[in-house]
Amino acid sequence: MREIQFREALREAMSEEMRRDEKIFLMGEEVAEYNGAYKVSQGMLDEFGADRVIDTPIAELGFAGIGVGAAMNGLRPIIEFMTFNFSLVAIDQVINSAAKMMSMSGGQFPMPIVFRGPTGNAGMLSSQHSQNFENWYANTPGLKVVVPSNPADAKGLLKSSIRDNDPVIFMESELMYGDKGEVPDGEYLIPIGQAHIVKEGSDVTLLSFGKMMKIVNEAAEELAKKGINAEVIDLRSVRPIDYKTIIDSVKKTNRLVIIEEAWPLASISTDIAFNVQKDAFDYLDAPVKRVNSMDLPLPYAPTLIDAILPNVKRTLEAVDAVMYR
């Protein structure tokens, strides 16, 4: 396998799909002349030209709407938001048009569109640029929501998202674009809705997705030093959620800790905790624990950011609680 950056894996996925299907195009702020705000689309303008790699004004509602109309007319747009914080400007097109068009048209208008870009905290960018909306979009029937945690998954899941005939929200992390990881050579797809058991274990299940998997993997290593064998699951997508893999794991370990960057109220972890107590109550040896961001807008100061976001220390404390240590 090759070792490439997260941004390179995304670029390979888009470029391979655009070579395969001329109906696919990329549109967003700075995706063309500037090679992408995070250099994800570097070189794509040179290869595919200005008709298929399209710079837009700072007008998310407008170019999201153009993407929806293009998808209704047989094209397959990839719409890049510079950050999903800015997708709130376009949320009417995403929620009221893209998500509902197939249903409202009685199946006459498929909606093969991908909305992609970074989500969550990206360092000292303060409250308006550091939010997680995975649970917002996952609450919308008609959308699929994908949140990869590593370059290999990013490529395989993005290719599947581009080929999907439903609208897909594809959420990345600004802090991961430079991360390197092994990516297979050749063609491969990863199905949407299939969680990945990163590490098998027997004592407690640690569950997360996206960049929080870094916290989870580090916590699992620390637990191993204490003789605790954690099972680690990467959800990969939060709509649909692979509940079978989660329930099967809880039946084996009897304990569950969910780590999620979003605020605690009505989060993805809330729904998972409900479904686990509904479907695996008799297998639980302790209440499900959640490690979320504090219920506050994220501040600018790095010390306060560290205090508010999920971290290894809080994860280990949650594991101690479910194991009554």
Side-chain angles (χ1 to χ4, degrees), residues 70-117:
M72 291 175 67
N73 282 278
L75 299 179
R76 307 184 74 90
I78 304 168
I79 304 300
E80 178 179 311
F81 295 124
M82 195 177 292
T83 161
F84 264 95
N85 295 277
F86 301 161
S87 75
L88 299 191
V89 182
I91 202 166
D92 182 63
Q93 285 294 339
V94 178
I95 301 296
N96 277 330
S97 294
K100 298 177 173 65
M101 192 56 64
M102 172 74 87
S103 175
M104 292 193 305
S105 68
Q108 296 179 77
F109 288 105
M111 188 51 59
I113 186 170
V114 175
F115 298 97
R116 53 157 293 270

Side-chain angles (χ1 to χ4, degrees), residues 153-172:
D153 282 8
K155 181 175 179 180
L157 287 165
L158 183 53
K159 286 172 72 71
S160 292
S161 299
I162 293 169
R163 296 188 189 190
D164 204 294
N165 285 326
D166 292 321
V168 178
I169 308 295
F170 195 93
M171 309 183 94
E172 304 146 15

